[in-house]
Structures are given as C-alpha cells and as structure tokens.
Amino acid sequence: MAAGLTCLKTTVAPHSLDANQAWLLPRVLGSPAFNEGIKSMFDSDRMSDELRALKVDVTRLLNTAGEEIYDGAKDRAEALADQIRAALAELGETVEEEQEQLQGLVADRPITSLASAFALGVVVGFMLRRH
C-alpha cells in the first residue's frame, strides 16, 4: 500500500509535475490565498500611500537639513565678514600712517618729489604707448 502513494512537492516547477501531481497546480494558482498574496504585492492604493508617506518624510528631512546648512553657512559668512572688517580697519590705519610719512617726505623735498613723479609719468606713458 505504501508503494502506491506518491509524495507531493510544493516547491516544484510546473513542467516537473507528474500526472498524479498535475491536478494540484490549478488549485494552488486559483486559490484565494494565492490570489490575495499576488494582489497585496501589487496593490496600487497601498503603494501610492507608501510613496506619499515617503515623499513627506524626504521633504521633511531635506527641509531640516537645508535649514541646518543655511544656519551654518550664515554663521560662517558672518565670521568671515567680521574678519574682513577687522582687516580693512587695520589696512586703513596703515594707509593713514603711510600717507602721513609720504606727505612728510614730499614737504621736505619738493623738487625731488616733482622730478620723481615726472619720471614715473614718462615711464608709464611709454609702457602704455607700446601696448
């Protein structure tokens, strides 16, 4: 009696089923549980809901990250602006000191200063004439 029984495999390909097992395939493929599993895999409403939720999450994350990046960049820009202001203030002081020294030199030697300015003007004129 045991020799006449066949063993049914559940994970076999349809082309490998013998005559005793072939009647099972339409019942498995047509079963409500099998069809529900397929429908749930391709449920467009559920997929749309999940995509909307994903879109909301990504938008929230990008906005949060964007705000943090903006705040960090703003802080760095303000620090750089402060450094530039300090450097310009120092440069202004240095230029004022140099201007005072230059005025003192010109006042002490007016003829030499006038001759130097004339010579410099001639040199610059020749250079601009060639180009």
Side-chain angles (χ1 to χ4, degrees), residues 79-95:
L80 181 62
D82 290 341
Q83 289 177 350
I84 290 173
R85 283 187 202 106
L88 287 175
E90 187 177 325
L91 179 65
E93 292 172 6
T94 304
V95 167

Side-chain angles (χ1 to χ4, degrees), residues 7 13 17 24 26 38-39 52-53 58 69 75 79 84 92 95 100 104-105 115 131:
C7 178
L17 294 176
L24 185 62
I38 294 294
K39 285 181 184 177
R52 278 189 215 105
V58 168
I69 290 171
D75 292 342
I84 290 173
V95 167
E100 291 172 4
L105 285 173
H131 294 303

